[in-house]
Amino acid sequence: MRKYLMYLSLFISVSSCSIEDSNPPNFYLEIMSIQSVDIPIEFIHGETHEISMTYSRPNDCYEFNDFIFQPNLNQRTVAVVNTVYTDQDCFGSTEQVEVSFDFQVNSLETYVFRFYQGSDTGGQDQYYIVEVPVVVPED
C-alpha cells in the first residue's frame, strides 16, 4: 500500500507540472550601445579602478540589468545590458544613463578594452577600443 501511495504521489506530482508556459515573460534583455567611456589613461598594478560608461535609455521601460564582460587574455569586451519591460506603459523620453564597474588590475601587460557601440548598416558590431598601459606603483 505504501508503494502504491508513493507511485500515486509521484504520478500526480509529475502530471501536474507543465513545460508549457501560458504566461510569457513580461520582459526581454537588450544590449545597449555605449556612447561614451570614462577610463583612466593608465592602470596601477594591484589596484582597483572605476570604469564608467554612458548610454541612452529610450524610456522608463528600460532598466539597467548587468554588464556582459568577456575576457580574452588582456583584452576585455564590455557591453551594457538592460531589462526591457513589456507589460507596462512606458513614459519619459531618451535619457543619458551612467553605469560603472570596478576593475582589478592583476597583469603587468597593457589592457585592451572593446566597448560595444552597436552595429553598422551591414550588421557588423562596432567597438570603441581603448588601450590602457599598466604601471608598477613606486614604493
Side-chain angles (χ1 to χ4, degrees):
M1 181 68 162
R2 231 186 255 174
K3 239 183 196 181
Y4 174 73
L5 287 174
M6 185 176 76
Y7 286 125
L8 181 62
S9 296
L10 181 62
F11 175 75
I12 291 172
S13 295
V14 171
S15 65
S16 67
C17 295
S18 172
I19 59 172
E20 293 182 28
D21 188 3
S22 61
N23 295 325
N26 63 351
F27 68 91
Y28 62 91
L29 300 177
E30 185 173 320
I31 298 174
M32 308 303 290
S33 297
I34 297 170
Q35 295 175 328
S36 66
V37 176
D38 185 13
I39 188 168
I41 58 170
E42 64 182 18
F43 288 146
I44 299 173
H45 182 261
E47 291 191 7
T48 300
H49 298 272
E50 182 178 44
I51 299 173
S52 301
M53 291 144 283
T54 302
Y55 69 94
S56 290
R57 182 179 85 156
N59 55 50
D60 65 356
C61 284
Y62 286 72
E63 181 177 287
F64 175 75
N65 179 291
D66 204 354
F67 295 102
I68 294 176
F69 192 78
Q70 295 178 325
N72 181 11
L73 301 174
N74 271 28
Q75 178 176 289
R76 304 294 187 268
T77 302
V78 181
V80 172
V81 179
N82 271 205
T83 301
V84 183
Y85 295 98
T86 59
D87 65 343
Q88 59 187 358
D89 293 329
C90 302
F91 298 102
S93 58
T94 301
E95 174 185 16
Q96 299 296 306
V97 177
E98 184 175 303
V99 292
S100 64
F101 65 89
D102 291 329
F103 182 72
Q104 176 69 42
V105 180
N106 296 317
S107 173
L108 293 171
E109 301 294 319
T110 296
Y111 283 93
V112 177
F113 285 86
R114 297 168 17 109
F115 296 97
Y116 179 75
Q117 292 193 302
S119 298
D120 65 13
T121 55
Q124 294 283 29
D125 290 341
Q126 301 294 303
Y127 297 93
Y128 173 61
I129 300 172
V130 180
E131 292 186 20
V132 183
V134 177
V135 296
V136 178
E138 296 179 22
D139 290 330

